[in-house]
Amino acid sequence: MEEKKVALITGATRGIGKEIAFELALNNYSIAINYRNYSKELETLKSDIEAIGSKCGLVQGDVSSFNECKNMVEDTIEAFGKIDVLVNNAGITKDGLIMRMKEEDFTSVIDINLVGTFNMTRNTISYMLKQKSGRIINISSVVGVAGNAGQTNYAASKAGIIGFTKSLAKEVASRNILVNAIAPGFIATDMTNVLSDNVKEEIFKQIPLKRMGTPKEIAKVVKFLCSDDSSYITGQVIHVDGGMVM
Ligand SMILES: NC(=O)c1ccc[n+]([C@@H]2O[C@H](COP(=O)([O-])OP(=O)(O)OC[C@H]3O[C@@H](n4cnc5c(N)ncnc54)[C@H](OP(=O)(O)O)[C@@H]3O)[C@@H](O)[C@H]2O)c1
């Protein structure tokens, strides 16, 4: 029987990350789920993934801490022996116009979204370099491409992820490690549930497909980017946004 591949997914307790974990489990991956705070729901999530027939490990840590990322990666290696796929998904927003944005609102978004992506990648890459294979998928945003008023912090973090992705793709291509980013548009999760109906209506006007995307629609693209079907794709930003940004 073919050995299962191992995927480590950050921020996989809910939303897009959780759906990515399920999608990869359905596709025969062993899953390491990163979480920040322990909750009973985590055990349910773990047993739901095990019910699919995949192994599931829970690795605790805040992605903005380099040392906690080091521990998460080491715990995953200890549990599963390797990491084939890293999905840097954990992210936050702290929106506000620049005149009202506190320094902490800017730095915390950069620290989690962008520095977190570096922290996880830096600690994982040596294992991938040694095994001469790997896939890294970074979750950016259309806001990192097109910008958005009230999100200077978030846009800077997500644009940074795009530059990071392209540079790393060039650095590690010779070792058969493929690095890509996904730029989701407006996806139905806790992150967007907080928006008022008026704001949602305004956003819909900018989406040719006239609806929000689902976490599943992002997870399916992650699955593709992990698969042999995407073996000639690296350094790319795949928009999954209903045509919002072209
Ligand atoms: N939803 C959208 O419309 C949309 C659009 C474009 C891009 N994205 C990006 O997609 C990713 C997932 O978004 P989502 O909508 O699924 O968000 P979500 O529902 O708010 O979930 C965010 C996840 O990230 C985790 N997280 C946050 N800070 C963390 C930290 N410091 N360390 C570890 N985990 C942390 C959260 O864990 P806790 O439960 O502990 O908070 C949660 O599991 C994010 O990078 C987001 O920027 C989302």
Side-chain angles (χ1 to χ4, degrees):
M1 210 171 75
E2 202 191 327
E3 197 190 8
K4 280 200 184 226
K5 289 193 170 170
V6 178
L8 168 57
I9 303 143
T10 66
T13 58
R14 53 200 168 91
I16 293 171
K18 183 175 172 180
E19 201 59 48
I20 293 169
F22 275 116
E23 189 62 29
L24 295 185
L26 284 169
N27 282 276
N28 214 23
Y29 282 78
S30 297
I31 306 294
I33 286 182
N34 153 242
Y35 68 98
R36 259 193 311 190
N37 303 309
Y38 182 80
S39 69
K40 266 194 180 161
E41 288 83 57
L42 274 170
E43 294 302 334
T44 313
L45 177 58
K46 182 171 161 27
S47 46
D48 287 349
I49 285 179
E50 286 168 347
I52 295 170
S54 287
K55 284 190 190 158
C56 181
L58 301 173
V59 288
Q60 195 279 329
D62 181 331
V63 295
S64 65
S65 157
F66 188 83
N67 282 337
E68 290 184 28
C69 290
K70 185 169 183 283
N71 291 339
M72 281 190 247
V73 170
E74 286 173 359
D75 288 351
T76 307
I77 296 285
E78 199 180 308
F80 297 114
K82 59 178 184 161
I83 299 173
D84 298 293
V85 171
L86 169 67
V87 184
N88 286 307
N89 166 78
I92 61 162
T93 51
K94 282 197 181 171
D95 299 350
L97 297 173
I98 190 83
M99 280 301 290
R100 287 195 215 122
M101 190 174 286
K102 295 190 201 94
E103 185 188 0
E104 193 273 336
D105 294 342
F106 193 87
T107 52
S108 60
V109 169
I110 299 288
D111 284 349
I112 292 176
N113 298 5
L114 179 57
V115 181
T117 298
F118 165 76
N119 289 341
M120 288 302 297
T121 305
R122 175 67 182 81
N123 281 296
T124 305
I125 202 76
S126 51
Y127 295 99
M128 289 186 172
L129 288 169
K130 255 184 242 151
Q131 74 198 15
K132 293 196 176 67
S133 69
R135 302 284 171 105
I136 298 175
I137 294 138
N138 298 321
I139 307 298
S140 176
S141 167
V142 287
V143 169
V145 179
N148 192 26
Q151 289 196 308
T152 50
N153 49 1
Y154 186 73
S157 73
K158 295 298 184 178
I161 286 175
I162 292 173
F164 179 86
T165 300
K166 292 179 179 180
S167 300
L168 184 66
K170 288 183 177 179
E171 246 180 75
V172 298
S174 64
R175 299 290 189 99
N176 192 30
I177 301 168
L178 309 186
V179 189
N180 290 291
I182 296 176
F186 188 38
I187 310 299
T189 67
D190 293 346
M191 190 175 269
T192 47
N193 274 350
V194 294
L195 300 173
S196 70
D197 286 347
N198 283 351
V199 172
K200 284 184 186 170
E201 280 307 315
E202 284 309 307
I203 296 174
F204 285 147
K205 286 182 193 157
Q206 300 166 36
I207 306 173
L209 288 182
K210 297 281 175 237
R211 65 169 176 87
M212 294 175 97
T214 63
K216 195 74 170 173
E217 287 172 313
I218 306 299
K220 291 275 184 196
V221 180
V222 172
K223 182 190 82 175
F224 168 67
L225 290 174
C226 296
S227 73
D228 290 343
D229 292 341
S230 63
S231 53
Y232 202 50
I233 300 177
T234 195
Q236 303 306 307
V237 183
I238 315 290
H239 288 222
V240 187
D241 64 359
M244 193 173 178
V245 172
M246 297 186 190

